[in-house]
Amino acid sequence: MRNFTMPTERLILRFFATVSLCLVAAIGQAQENRKRQPNVLFIAVDDLACSLSCYGDLIAKTPHIDRLAATGVRFDRAYNQLPLCNPTRASVMTGLRPDTIKVYDLDRHFRDEVPDVVTLSQAFQQAGYFAARVGKIYHYNVPASIGTDGFDDPPSWNQTINPKGRDKTDEAMVFNAEPHRKISGALSWLAADGEDEEQTDGMIASEAIKLMRAKKNEPFFLGVGFFRPHTPYVAPKKYFDMYPVDELRLPYAPPGDRDDIPPAAFAHNCPVPNYSLDQPTLLKATQAYYACVSFVDAQVGRLLEALDELQLADDTIVVFWSDHGYHLGEHNGVWQKRTLFEQGARAPLIIRAAGRSGNGTSCPRVVEFVDIYPTLTELAGIQSPPGLEGRSLLPLIKDPIAAWDGFAVTQVLRPADNRLATQVMGCSIRTERWRFTEWGEGKNGVELYDHHADPMEFNNLAETPSPQVQVTIDRLRPMLRQRASGKIPTVPVNPARL
C-alpha cells in the first residue's frame, strides 16, 4: 500500500508546488506590470503666456522650466480653445470644445451640459490610478477662492488639497494701479516679504511633493495648479529684484496699429489702451508679472527635483501647460487675456515622457489643448472615452517635425456693451501660416494675418482683401466653422463674467 501511495503523494506535492510557483510568478508579473504604469505630473500655471526663456523670451529667467523643455517636447504652436480660465480648463479636462460643453463664462460648470462626461483624471482613476489635485486645476476666483475647492469637479479626484498662504492674509498690502477695480482683474502687485514656502504657490509645491513621496509605489495622476502669475502679481521680493524696471520696455507696435482692427477684437475688460496708465506704472506691472513667472519657475524646479530624488523621473509623464496666453501691452496697450490675437490664443505646452525619441526637440506643428487628453491616455496605455474632440500628439512626441495637417480654433464671447449692440462670438483659426478671425460670423469684423510676413499681427489683410487674400479667406472660413459655429449661445451666460 505504501509503495502505491508514495508516487501519488509526490505528484500532489509537485502539483501544488508548481501551482504556488505559478501564482507567485503571476503576482510578481502583475506587480511589475503595475509598476510600469507611468505616473502623470500635470502642472498647470494660471495666466502664463509664452513668457519663458525656452520659448525665446529675452527677459524671462526660467531655468527650471527650460530644463524640462530640454528633456521633453516643447510645442511652439499650442493653442487654447477659449482664453478665459473656466472655459479653457473645462475644455482641457473633458477633451471637448466650448461649443460642446457650452461653457463660455466663469459661472457655468461643464456638467450642466454633459453630466456624465469622463474627465481626464477620471479616465486615469478608472485605470486604477490615484488621482489628486493640489491647487488650481479647474476654475477658481483668484484671489477670492484661494484656500477653497473653487469651481472644482469632485468626481475627478480621490483627494484634494487647497493651501492658503500669506498672499491671502497680506492682500491689504497689494498695490492696485486701478483702485476702482478689484485686484483680481486690475494691474495689481506685491513684492512680498518672507520665503517661497509661505506663499500659496510655494505651499502647493510642498504639498504636491508630500503626495509624490506618499504615493511613489503606486501609479498616480497628480494635478498641481499654481495661481500665479494671475493678478494680483504676488511673489517674494527677491524675484522682483531679478527684473530691474529700468531694463524693461513695453512691446513695440507701429503708429495706427489699431486702425485696421475691429472693435470687437479688443477685450471688454481692457477697452482703453493701457488702462490709461502711465509708462512707469506699466513697467512696474511688467516687472511684477515676470517676478511671478520666475517664482512659479522655482516651484516647478522643486517638483522636478523631487521626481529625481524619489527616482520617479523615468516613470512619470510630466505635462506643463498654461490655461491661455496673456498680453503685456501689445497692440498699443492690450493687457491680460480674452483676445484672439496670437498672444491670447497661444500658450506654453511641454510634455516629457521618458524614452521618447522626440525629447529635447521643439515641435513647430500647430496643436490644440483638446489634444492633451488623448495624448496622455495613449502615452499611459489606458482607455479613452469615446467622443474626444482632439487627437493624440504621440506621433509628434516621437518625431516633432513629422508631417501634421493640424490647425487650431480658439473662440471667445463678448458681452453687449457700448461698442456692441448684442453679444458677439469671435472665432479664430490658426494654421502654420495664417490666422483668420471672424466676429459675429463676420458681421462685426474680420481679420487675416500672414504669420510668415507679420508674426505680430500688425497688418489686417482682410480689411481690403486682394483677390489672392479672398481665396485664402474662402478656404479658411469653412475649416473654422467646422469647429466653432460663431453663433450666440442659447445656454445661460453671465455677461458680467465673460
Side-chain angles (χ1 to χ4, degrees), residues 79-84 261 264-267 327 331 334 336-346 408-414 424-430 434-440 445 447 449 451 457 480 484:
Y79 297 90
N80 68 84
Q81 269 45 75
L82 200 156
L84 185 62
I261 300 175
F266 298 104
H327 285 273
H331 292 292
V334 177
Q336 302 196 59
K337 48 212 175 192
R338 296 179 171 93
T339 84
L340 298 180
F341 296 119
E342 185 78 356
Q343 292 84 4
R346 176 175 173 245
V409 169
T410 307
Q411 61 190 106
V412 70
L413 184 63
R414 296 275 185 254
V424 169
M425 182 70 79
C427 302
S428 186
I429 181 172
R430 179 68 159 89
W434 304 99
R435 174 173 297 286
F436 172 65
T437 304
E438 289 188 319
W439 296 95
E447 300 168 79
Y449 303 104
H451 273 256
E457 301 179 339
L480 171 61

Side-chain angles (χ1 to χ4, degrees), residues 268-325:
H268 49 283
N269 69 315
C270 186
V272 179
N274 291 318
Y275 300 111
S276 294
L277 297 171
D278 60 26
Q279 180 168 305
T281 301
L282 297 170
L283 290 176
K284 289 178 182 177
T286 303
Q287 176 196 43
Y289 182 85
Y290 277 102
C292 289
V293 172
S294 286
F295 171 49
V296 169
D297 175 75
Q299 309 320 306
V300 172
R302 294 174 61 203
L303 297 177
L304 299 178
E305 289 166 8
L307 285 179
D308 292 337
E309 176 194 334
L310 296 169
Q311 298 183 336
L312 292 174
D314 290 340
D315 301 318
T316 303
I317 301 164
V318 181
V319 187
F320 176 91
W321 61 286
S322 170
D323 47 2
H324 43 67

